Amino acid sequence: HTFSFSSYYNPDRMNFGVLRVLNDDVVAPGMGFGTHPHQNMEIISIPLEGDLRHKDSTGHEAIIKQGDVQVMSAGSGISHNEMNANTDRQVKFLQIWVVPNAENVQPRYQQITLDEAKLKNQLHQILSPNPEDEGVWIHQDAWFHMTNLDSDETVTYALKNPDKNGVYAFVIKGNVTIND
């Protein structure tokens, strides 16, 4: 857990702006998180390895695979479960929660599959507050980008809203240098 979550508590690590949860989760074969409720939270799941089975109270059932991005806007209330869809290998995924800028909206589910070519040596937007943008969208002024950089490659990022937003970088594998 990057921030205080569940049994991990550190008063100095509660959130980064509206980024409330960033968990790098590992789920054993056939295991998972039983049905549980959420309300007024934007929940993003990004599998890094293996397959995650999702089922929620709005009737959505899906398998989320490596290369997919899922958003569940909990809004006025939703219950769901997530299980490792594999019986022979673990699933690793990022579980990310963002505090919404609108409460009690109608719960919503969205899932996309990323085009790996668009991640190669460039920052590719995968999430924004705009339903018309490429990627998934959430109820918050937040933008997520992903990249797969070769050694010695450089990318430049410009803040979308410099008066309100900062940058949080999460390195999945390897090393990066930011602003020297």
Side-chain angles (χ1 to χ4, degrees):
H1 304 312
T2 302
F3 306 111
S4 291
F5 183 81
S6 188
S7 62
Y8 168 67
Y9 177 73
N10 180 338
D12 297 327
R13 297 190 61 84
M14 295 304 294
N15 59 298
F16 179 82
V18 296
L19 178 58
R20 178 61 191 94
V21 170
L22 174 52
N23 294 346
D24 191 356
D25 286 331
V26 177
V27 180
M31 302 303 290
F33 306 101
T35 302
H36 57 282
H38 292 286
Q39 190 172 343
N40 292 320
M41 195 61 64
E42 301 293 307
I43 301 168
I44 300 102
S45 297
I46 304 173
L48 304 174
E49 177 183 304
D51 306 316
L52 191 64
R53 181 183 322 278
H54 168 93
K55 183 177 181 179
D56 66 46
S57 57
T58 68
H60 283 67
E61 291 187 45
I63 301 289
I64 313 158
K65 300 176 180 278
Q66 180 180 349
D68 292 346
V69 178
Q70 173 211 54
V71 165
M72 185 176 66
S73 291
S76 60
I78 193 169
S79 295
H80 78 124
N81 65 54
E82 291 173 312
M83 306 298 287
N84 184 338
N86 309 113
T87 58
D88 59 342
R89 62 186 171 131
Q90 65 186 12
V91 63
K92 293 182 181 182
F93 74 105
L94 299 179
Q95 177 183 181
I96 305 165
W97 295 7
V98 176
V99 177
N101 59 13
E103 291 190 345
N104 298 317
V105 298
Q106 180 174 350
R108 184 180 65 80
Y109 179 92
Q110 185 182 12
Q111 182 176 331
I112 60 166
T113 299
L114 299 173
D115 180 347
E116 290 291 323
K118 292 182 177 181
L119 303 178
K120 187 70 172 168
N121 295 322
Q122 60 186 336
L123 286 171
H124 178 61
Q125 182 174 290
I126 64 165
L127 178 145
S128 83
N130 185 350
E132 305 305 317
D133 282 357
E134 186 172 4
V136 293
W137 69 276
I138 62 170
H139 296 279
Q140 186 51 265
D141 292 331
W143 292 261
F144 289 15
H145 294 76
M146 288 183 77
T147 186
N148 185 1
L149 293 174
D150 290 332
S151 296
D152 299 321
E153 284 293 326
T154 300
V155 294
T156 301
Y157 179 76
L159 285 171
K160 305 289 186 187
N161 190 347
D163 294 334
K164 288 178 57 178
N165 292 89
V167 172
Y168 190 95
F170 184 79
V171 180
I172 295 171
K173 182 179 178 182
N175 299 296
V176 298
T177 301
I178 300 173
N179 286 343
D180 298 321

